[in-house]
Amino acid sequence: IVFPLQKLERYLAPGTDTAGFRLFQPGLAALQRAEALFRSDRGHSIDYVSSAVRMDHAPPPALPEVCFIGRSNVGKSSLIRALFSLAPEVEVRVSKTPGHTKKMNFFKAGKYFILVDMPGFGYRAPQDFAEMVEAYLQERRNLKRTFLLVDGVVGLQKTDHIAVEMLEEFGIPYVMVLTKIDRASRGVLLKNVLEIQEFVKESTQGCFPQLFLVSSVEFSGVHLLRCFVAHVTGNLPTVEAS
């Protein structure tokens, strides 16, 4: 549940390079600290802040920020809802219609960070998607990490490569997250993980070398992803990578 990537190791051929499987390996204290940041209570509220279609509509860049981008129907809103499951009063709308999210949606975790749900790209994406997202990525000075979501069943697609090229061109630090791992067979998942890790190693500069695998249905990988968000926003100063 916590480390789904490491769970795959036993099925790999001997000698397969798994160094990238354990770059971010927080301990129990760090995981618990991250859980607290995603749990609302008295004195620490988690709220939907606002939506924006242009940068001048975005809230002030007062806190560290992370954003989630990905193809339409990759499961982005479902994952954000899973991340905020400890604060059920926060409404993260999940549509069955691909491309439904047409605005940047901002969620605030107390005084610690802001998480941004970006419009999906590709099928049925809003026409001004590129202009909106490019402006955000280039201008948002408090952006600490971009999370690029990739469908774990189908792996990297042409539109994903376009997003990678954009992030690389802008010099934006990012990390890849494989979604819907509960829907992928073990063989397909292993194939996609190894291919994407090789691609990251050989063809990217700004991507964190470790993939994050998640299932919004089974909650696999959600705890680890919460911890990584807390880490990159500067809220886990004691986390050590092995």
Side-chain angles (χ1 to χ4, degrees), residues 51-123:
S51 297
V53 294
R54 299 198 312 267
M55 281 303 296
D56 54 356
H57 292 169
L63 293 173
E65 206 160 89
V66 296
C67 75
F68 283 60
I69 68 173
R71 290 188 299 113
S72 298
N73 206 32
V74 76
K76 184 162 40 64
S77 296
S78 295
L79 175 56
I80 293 173
R81 185 168 65 176
L83 289 169
F84 286 131
S85 61
L86 299 174
E89 71 279 5
V90 177
E91 183 180 4
V92 181
R93 295 181 180 178
V94 179
S95 173
K96 295 181 180 179
T97 306
H100 181 77
T101 303
K102 300 183 185 301
K103 299 178 180 179
M104 300 179 285
N105 297 314
F106 294 78
F107 300 89
K108 183 179 180 182
K111 60 183 180 181
Y112 297 100
F113 63 87
I114 288 177
L115 188 152
V116 188
D117 182 8
M118 304 294 279
F121 53 78
Y123 174 69

Side-chain angles (χ1 to χ4, degrees), residues 175-187:
V175 60
M176 288 197 201
V177 180
L178 267 65
T179 62
K180 304 180 182 180
I181 63 171
D182 54 288
R183 299 187 186 180
S185 68
R186 185 186 303 140

